[in-house]
Amino acid sequence: ARENDALIIAVNPLKEAGLQNFTDPQSIAGILGREITISNFYLQIRVNGDMALMQAIAKFWFQFEDENPGKVLDHKFITEKTAGYEAFKTHILEQDFDVLAKQCGIPLERIKEIADQLKFKNKIIICWEMGLTQNKNSVNTIKEAVNLLRMKGTIGNPGAGPAPVQVTCN
């Protein structure tokens, strides 16, 4: 079970039922067909569209910060713990929302809704598995994931940060 205010966003090019709902076949509820909702939002992006999605979210956060100065981004963290912020900001603001939406395959209004849901959150975990590390832009895509966490100052705090996962089967 997750906290009532937890927001879980599943992002995957493949429509995986396990990222949306889960039925535990070893429980009474599962036998009765009751599902547990895993994610609040499921974004079925295009293959290799992760970076564009994250850049669009970042661009919305910059807009939201302009509308709510000091409430969306963690400027203290950015100043004390990061380098290259202005170049990153310039790069993101130069991106075209429509192009980013097309590249990731998610309608712009849906991306804005996600960015809006996250704008005041200060505990964000971005979790990824092997698929993200095996595409042609893997290093830059993971950098963008970490850049989102840096913008919000959610690295090194309890209940927040990057979470690469490797699943092995015996």
Side-chain angles (χ1 to χ4, degrees), residues 30-43:
I31 292 170
L32 295 174
R34 294 190 188 130
E35 296 181 332
I36 298 168
T37 300
I38 301 295
S39 58
N40 305 85
F41 295 95
Y42 190 92
L43 303 177

Side-chain angles (χ1 to χ4, degrees), residues 45-71:
I45 60 165
R46 291 179 192 231
V47 172
N48 202 29
D50 308 80
M51 185 165 32
L53 174 64
M54 289 183 262
Q55 289 177 341
I57 291 170
K59 186 166 179 167
F60 276 120
W61 284 354
F62 283 125
Q63 285 186 354
F64 297 154
E65 177 66 17
D66 287 343
E67 298 164 6
N68 304 277
K71 295 184 180 175

